[in-house]
Amino acid sequence: MSDSHVCEDTSDHLFRQSITTLPRISDKRKKMFAKLGVETVGDLIWLMPRLYNDWSQRIPVGHLVGGDVAAFEAVIESVPSLTRRGKLSYIRARLSDDTGSIRAVWFNQPWLSDRLKRGDRYIFRGKIEGSGRACSVNTPEIRALDDESPMFTPVYPLTAGLSQATVRQAIEAAFSDRNLVITESLPAEIRSDYRLATADFALRKIHFPESEHDIEVARRRLAFEELFLLIAGLRYMKAGRREECGPNIELTQPVLKRLKSQIDRLPYSLTSSQESAIESILNDFRLTYPANRLIQGDVGSGKTVVAAMAMAVAAWSGFQSVMMAPTTILASQHAESVASILEGSGLSIALLTGGVTAARKRLLIDALAEGEIDILIGTHAVIEKDVQFAKLGCCVTDEQHRFGVRQRIKLSGDGDIIPHMLVMSATPIPRTLALILYGELDITEMKDMPSGRKDVKTYTATSRDRSRIDRLIERETNLGHQVFVVCPMIEESPELTINSAETVFDRLSRLVFPDRRVALMHGKLKVKEKSDVMREFDRGDIDILVSTTVIEVGIDQPNATLLIVENAERFGLSQLHQLRGRVGRSLIQSYCVLVSDSEDPLVRRRLTALCRNSSGFAIAEEDLLLRGPGDVFGVQQHGLPDFRVANLYEDSALLKEASNAAEQIVRVDPHLINHETRVILTEFKARYGDRLARPGL
Ligand code: ADP
Ligand code: MG
């Protein structure tokens, strides 16, 4: 955050200066503040209170409720008694008002015994414990009745050595500095249309509120600002694409005819979602500027064939394509699938991963530069380095790697031409989140699943069902089907009752199924070892594969019909859904058993939600409700920014407004060049530029 909130005109502006310009910030304190991400005065001003201590609501003593943190006005009824035990001490007193009385204990504050006198009246604030006569309050804070300090005191996040008082003093010092100028980042039009406070007002009130209303007004403005700046910036990026130069793929009638006959060769007919996804890609190809499209479809919805057909069309029109996968295993699987989908097309398809020999790699690179390879499939690492394309037209990637790929491809390619980008995602993100995560992309949703596909029958079980689960494994393997057993951890951990992959493997391979081929796979294996195991599983040489979540993404083995998840409570709802997508990939009935002994109602609700729903979109919505946005499909890893104020779940109404506002601005000023909108871009780059990792931004 250190160079955020740039003020354009005065670069020596206090906002950008180190907090050491403030009084009483030593180098030692500077280091502590740095741990909170606070380096400049601007960072300090954006250090948001975690909560507020409210002194305004005074509860009658007789109405205090155990468990609450409350403030109350009371008289000290008994002479406070001080007890010392070595270095430790405590003071006990009884406090009362007309409605009742409460015991108070102050630990290790012996000096209070001089200050507190019987008959004195104060405001106390602390955590209430117990109830009725046994009601007590532990080490409450004390305020005089005529104390004029604010009714709401902010509570900041701290780090070792920093106290609330130090942080508060620093913030007070920053705001009382006459050189502090807070730049307004929202256009006046937006502030008035959406009834938002100014930045200056909001930032002052968030630290020094006088009422709950102040906090509300300040929060709303600051959360809106965060959402608005991000969405407006993403829209700007989207608009900016129109000025870039795309590959200009000309779609001729013969090419379209070839596409049709290639589709006709498939052993199945396309779903209407697949058809319309291909249609939208063909429309993209007709553009003069590079497309940037997200194809979003649940696991098993058949995205590979869509990508393969797109790449074939590019090839027939004279352009190369590249498809990138996150792992070597997936890259080789993709290469095999694409090759089989495009069988008979005569196109040359190559696989390039870390596993190929240097000599072979050299050969591939040369062939690629000569334009002899139409479709290159590989992992990102390989493609980033020395690979040059003769004429790259289309780039297929997964969502985690969408950022920066365009630019890198551009740098390695010829001139300023940017290929069309297709981003594949199995993350059924609720609409509201898609705006934030994929705001710079055009989105195609694939809602239908291939027909004839049976829903995976999903059950919950506990460890008492062990023998029934074993019988299920036996039945499926007897039928020649394959089984996944997924465990949350590799090794046994002493303090948790977790069935580690090793223990489970041991039990199954030695005790239960000594005559079956059982294999173990986990993240600590070498890449080569992992792909060997996967290849064996692919060939059908493994009956039961015990693994950690490394199988999570993309593995496609139609013969796998049973998935057992051990300690299912350790997985998120959406993660379980992704795992479940590893089975049910053919016409054979598949099963998923979620084993968990947890009695936590939230866990039970999560697991039954999975038994009830087969659609990823339904599950994602449920996940958003149950766990909040940060957890939906590990959204964090997909580039969800760290907001300081906004909360995507709670602020979904605000998100809608911010999105409308962003639309309103970008519609008339797509390049954000007006006097008032330039700052939007500056702030967007400062706050989110790293995440989007685009040179030039
Ligand atoms: P995902 O969207 O998860 O990447 P895949 O592309 O791996 O899905 O497809 C899953 C499986 O469905 C593959 O085995 C594929 O051959 C099959 N498939 C794809 N499209 C269809 C279809 N229209 N009808 C029947 N099966 C299909
Ligand atoms: Mg896939």
Side-chain angles (χ1 to χ4, degrees):
M1 266 311 269
S2 37
D3 55 6
S4 55
H5 312 285
V6 183
C7 181
E8 285 188 303
D9 309 320
T10 49
S11 53
D12 59 345
H13 182 289
L14 184 63
F15 226 87
R16 297 190 67 179
Q17 284 175 20
S18 161
I19 51 168
T20 50
T21 43
L22 297 173
R24 285 193 284 183
I25 306 286
S26 59
D27 270 355
K28 202 169 131 214
R29 281 193 173 156
K30 179 184 161 187
K31 289 205 182 91
M32 294 171 185
F33 272 108
K35 287 202 181 119
L36 295 173
V38 172
E39 283 166 16
T40 64
V41 174
D43 295 338
L44 180 68
I45 281 173
W46 269 90
L47 182 70
M48 293 291 117
R50 281 193 297 118
L51 47 94
Y52 297 87
N53 287 339
D54 178 2
W55 290 84
S56 70
Q57 304 278 337
R58 316 251 166 96
I59 313 284
V61 174
H63 297 181
L64 291 169
V65 177
D68 285 359
V69 174
F72 55 94
E73 187 178 325
V75 170
I76 300 175
E77 199 179 82
S78 56
V79 182
S81 70
L82 172 67
T83 310
R84 286 183 189 272
R85 292 251 162 81
K87 276 189 180 167
L88 305 177
S89 73
Y90 59 90
I91 298 171
R92 276 191 302 196
R94 183 159 278 280
L95 315 172
S96 69
D97 69 3
D98 297 346
T99 62
S101 76
I102 183 169
R103 276 187 302 125
V105 188
W106 286 269
F107 287 98
N108 303 325
Q109 301 186 3
W111 61 87
L112 280 179
S113 73
D114 294 333
R115 181 173 152 199
L116 299 174
K117 303 232 156 44
R118 181 175 172 191
D120 281 356
R121 178 178 283 273
Y122 289 101
I123 303 162
F124 301 92
R125 188 178 179 287
K127 177 146 191 196
I128 313 299
E129 278 150 20
S131 62
R133 280 295 296 170
C135 198
S136 68
V137 58
N138 184 347
T139 319
E141 293 176 80
I142 305 166
R143 265 193 192 187
L145 293 180
D146 58 0
D147 191 325
E148 290 189 345
S149 4
M151 287 299 165
F152 291 88
T153 43
V155 179
Y156 294 97
L158 295 179
T159 180
L162 267 190
S163 69
Q164 287 297 340
T166 310
V167 178
R168 280 181 207 161
Q169 273 164 15
I171 290 176
E172 275 165 29
F175 275 101
S176 53
D177 195 311
R178 280 187 301 115
N179 292 320
L180 182 76
V181 180
I182 291 175
T183 311
E184 180 53 62
S185 57
L186 294 179
E189 168 197 341
I190 296 298
R191 264 186 290 129
S192 102
D193 286 1
Y194 294 88
R195 299 166 173 278
L196 297 160
T198 61
D200 186 85
F201 180 88
L203 284 170
R204 279 175 203 278
K205 290 301 182 191
I206 206 85
H207 295 292
F208 313 109
E210 279 150 40
S211 64
E212 226 159 323
H213 182 250
D214 278 353
I215 301 172
E216 195 40 53
V217 168
R219 235 206 119 258
R220 181 177 138 79
R221 143 77 206 210
L222 298 174
F224 185 99
E225 167 183 329
E226 288 191 298
L227 299 168
F228 170 84
L229 291 174
L230 176 59
I231 300 170
L234 292 170
R235 287 283 184 270
Y236 156 87
M237 283 174 64
K238 198 168 167 179
R241 229 190 317 130
R242 289 168 186 269
E243 261 87 272
E244 294 172 334
C245 192
N248 260 316
I249 302 178
E250 215 175 302
L251 296 182
T252 61
Q253 280 311 316
V255 166
L256 295 175
K257 247 183 156 155
R258 269 170 103 168
L259 171 65
K260 193 178 169 307
S261 70
Q262 194 69 40
I263 290 174
D264 288 343
R265 292 177 66 121
L266 292 170
Y268 43 77
S269 51
L270 293 182
T271 65
S272 53
S273 286
Q274 286 170 321
E275 277 174 1
S276 53
I278 292 174
E279 197 52 49
S280 58
I281 295 168
L282 294 185
N283 286 334
D284 286 345
F285 282 180
R286 294 187 175 99
L287 300 171
T288 55
Y289 58 88
N292 202 8
R293 179 171 299 279
L294 175 77
I295 307 281
Q296 197 177 46
D298 211 341
V299 273
S301 61
K303 294 181 291 294
T304 317
V305 65
V306 172
M309 292 303 170
M311 295 192 292
V313 168
W316 292 322
S317 311
F319 286 85
Q320 292 169 300
S321 294
V322 59
M323 182 178 195
M324 298 185 238
T327 64
T328 309
I329 302 172
L330 276 175
S332 28
Q333 274 215 352
H334 278 325
E336 274 169 40
S337 315
V338 171
S340 104
I341 290 165
L342 298 182
E343 215 176 277
S345 66
L347 295 174
S348 94
I349 301 164
L351 174 67
L352 181 49
T353 64
V356 308
T357 62
R360 166 121 184 99
K361 186 172 171 187
R362 201 59 264 156
L363 230 73
L364 279 175
I365 287 180
D366 288 346
L368 206 63
E370 291 301 314
E372 286 157 14
I373 291 172
D374 298 307
I375 296 173
L376 179 71
I377 299 177
T379 46
H380 292 76
V382 183
I383 287 158
E384 280 168 23
K385 285 184 206 135
D386 37 7
V387 182
Q388 296 279 332
F389 295 85
K391 212 176 172 195
L392 185 59
C394 177
C395 171
V396 184
T397 179
D398 60 286
E399 61 191 314
Q400 284 98 322
H401 296 98
R402 75 180 197 271
F403 300 122
V405 167
R406 279 177 94 226
Q407 218 64 25
R408 242 173 281 139
I409 291 272
K410 176 177 165 181
L411 294 176
S412 79
D414 64 304
D416 284 335
I417 294 175
I418 298 178
H420 297 301
M421 294 287 301
L422 284 180
V423 178
M424 298 283 169
S425 161
T427 312
I429 290 287
R431 270 264 156 226
T432 46
L433 288 188
L435 206 64
I436 291 287
L437 284 170
Y438 308 121
E440 87 284 19
L441 304 175
D442 298 314
I443 302 181
T444 300
E445 267 180 13
M446 290 181 33
K447 289 232 156 156
D448 325 313
M449 296 298 270
S451 65
R453 188 73 54 83
K454 294 192 177 69
D455 282 349
V456 177
K457 287 202 171 127
T458 305
Y459 307 97
T460 56
T462 68
S463 45
R464 286 189 304 278
D465 302 311
R466 194 55 70 194
S467 62
R468 288 169 61 195
I469 297 171
D470 288 345
R471 281 206 302 278
L472 196 56
I473 298 179
E474 187 173 8
R475 192 189 78 191
E476 288 304 307
T477 49
N478 279 343
L479 289 167
H481 300 158
Q482 290 165 286
V483 178
F484 286 118
V485 182
V486 175
C487 309
M489 284 183 191
I490 309 170
E491 290 150 37
E492 202 71 61
S493 73
E495 75 276 26
L496 294 165
T497 50
I498 300 274
N499 293 311
S500 77
E502 275 173 357
T503 342
V504 171
F505 171 73
D506 231 46
R507 183 178 161 274
L508 290 176
S509 61
R510 293 204 290 164
L511 298 175
V512 195
F513 299 109
D515 55 335
R516 290 273 183 265
R517 295 162 299 179
V518 187
L520 175 64
M521 186 162 83
H522 53 71
K524 287 200 185 152
L525 290 183
K526 298 209 176 64
V527 175
K528 169 91 169 56
E529 295 171 319
K530 274 192 267 185
S531 43
D532 285 350
V533 175
M534 274 330 293
R535 199 153 304 130
E536 280 178 57
F537 190 82
D538 239 21
R539 279 203 303 260
D541 293 346
I542 292 172
D543 300 307
I544 304 167
L545 179 61
V546 180
S547 81
T548 53
T549 49
V550 286
I551 60 153
E552 196 177 333
V553 270
I555 300 299
D556 185 23
Q557 174 48 273
N559 193 42
T561 56
L562 174 59
L563 170 78
I564 316 272
V565 183
E566 297 289 343
N567 293 95
E569 74 280 357
R570 307 272 301 177
F571 297 91
L573 182 50
S574 302
Q575 196 184 10
L576 288 170
H577 175 66
Q578 292 279 316
L579 280 171
R580 182 169 62 175
R582 298 309 114 228
V583 296
R585 300 178 78 85
S586 68
L587 298 180
I588 319 169
Q589 179 63 57
S590 289
Y591 305 88
C592 169
V593 182
L594 306 168
V595 189
S596 173
D597 289 339
S598 167
E599 282 164 15
D600 180 342
L602 211 62
V603 168
R604 301 316 312 176
R605 201 175 140 190
R606 223 153 69 201
L607 300 185
T608 43
L610 209 71
C611 297
R612 273 202 324 273
N613 293 302
S614 58
S615 141
F617 285 93
I619 287 166
E621 294 286 350
E622 182 101 3
D623 208 14
L624 184 66
L625 268 173
L626 289 177
R627 309 210 306 167
D631 290 312
V632 176
F633 278 82
V635 158
Q636 228 61 278
Q637 300 155 23
H638 298 263
L640 192 68
D642 256 343
F643 294 118
R644 305 214 146 194
V645 186
N647 170 321
L648 289 183
Y649 176 49
E650 285 162 15
D651 293 325
S652 61
L654 203 61
L655 179 64
K656 188 93 198 79
E657 289 185 76
S659 151
N660 291 342
E663 216 62 73
Q664 181 178 333
I665 291 299
V666 175
R667 201 179 319 125
V668 289
D669 180 18
H671 301 298
L672 302 176
I673 42 175
N674 290 349
H675 174 65
E676 262 200 328
T677 55
R678 268 197 309 242
V679 60
I680 296 177
L681 201 54
T682 322
E683 289 290 314
F684 171 70
K685 287 178 198 171
R687 296 190 198 188
Y688 307 112
D690 286 353
R691 175 172 87 99
L692 300 164
R694 274 187 26 132
L697 240 191

